[in-house]
Amino acid sequence: MNDNIIDRLIQNIINDQQLLKASEEKIDQAKNEKREIQDRIKGYHKDATAMIKYACEEQIAQIEALDLDLSESKQGLNSVATTALDIMMNTKKKSMTNEELYQAYVDSLDSSGKAVSYTTFNVKCRPLYNNQRLIRTKGSDPKSSRTDVISLNGSSKAVVKKG
């Protein structure tokens, strides 16, 4: 009779170990599926952030109803890039030379001593070009970025003439 109880105990342990292994596989599969879905949602969030400026009021309301944090379309940008994008969005011509943009950035600060160098400014603004919020067109001097024409994406590409 002792063998039956021990055999039953051993069989119960074996069965539960198999059930545990099967459950862990299901959990791992569910975690992978969850991760894939979260990655897709992150991609949608980035797309919505980039495209919200093209949406009509009804579409904006629908996007906001999805409980995405799109209150700041410049999300993820450093302060220099954010300032540069604000300058470009608020300029009437929607286009200026890179030098003019840098000077407007310097002028926008409380103190010009707080401004980053021209080179650092260009490095900090790269995300704006990488995600195509701003478009850079080579200017009249191929050896200098100062004459490059910077345009707000979606605006007509007006050529900036340096007088």
Side-chain angles (χ1 to χ4, degrees):
M1 199 170 221
N2 284 348
D3 283 356
N4 280 345
I5 294 174
I6 293 173
D7 288 341
R8 188 171 297 240
L9 176 63
I10 291 170
Q11 191 59 48
N12 286 344
I13 291 171
I14 290 171
N15 290 343
D16 282 349
Q17 285 177 334
Q18 289 172 345
L19 287 173
L20 180 62
K21 184 177 180 183
S23 294
E24 286 174 343
E25 289 173 0
K26 288 178 186 177
I27 290 170
D28 288 342
Q29 181 181 354
K31 284 181 180 179
N32 288 336
E33 290 173 5
K34 179 181 177 183
R35 191 174 314 113
E36 289 173 11
I37 293 167
Q38 286 175 324
D39 289 345
R40 285 198 310 264
I41 290 173
K42 283 181 189 175
Y44 299 148
H45 184 269
K46 289 179 184 177
D47 292 344
T49 300
M51 290 191 259
I52 197 159
K53 65 182 175 186
Y54 303 110
C56 68
E57 292 299 320
E58 180 181 333
Q59 292 167 325
I60 291 171
Q62 289 174 334
I63 290 171
E64 289 173 348
L66 297 173
D67 201 27
L68 299 176
D69 183 19
L70 300 177
S71 59
E72 192 60 52
S73 64
K74 299 171 232 79
Q75 181 176 1
L77 292 179
N78 61 66
S79 62
V80 174
T82 300
T83 302
L85 184 58
D86 285 341
I87 291 167
M88 287 303 298
M89 291 178 76
N90 293 321
T91 185
K92 288 183 181 173
K93 54 188 176 179
K94 303 295 183 215
S95 182
M96 59 178 59
T97 66
N98 199 39
E99 185 172 10
E100 289 172 332
L101 180 57
Y102 176 71
Q103 192 56 51
Y105 155 74
V106 172
D107 293 344
S108 73
L109 300 174
D110 297 337
S111 164
S112 61
K114 293 181 181 178
V116 298
S117 70
Y118 177 79
T119 302
T120 303
F121 172 80
N122 284 301
V123 170
K124 298 270 189 185
C125 287
R126 276 192 194 141
L128 296 172
Y129 305 112
N130 292 342
N131 63 28
Q132 298 184 345
R133 291 180 186 170
L134 296 181
I135 305 295
R136 180 191 295 257
T137 308
K138 200 64 189 151
S140 59
D141 184 354
K143 294 181 180 181
S144 172
S145 65
R146 292 184 184 270
T147 61
D148 289 359
V149 177
I150 311 301
S151 306
L152 191 60
N153 193 5
S155 63
S156 62
K157 292 196 175 193
V159 177
V160 177
K161 298 197 180 200
K162 194 74 174 159

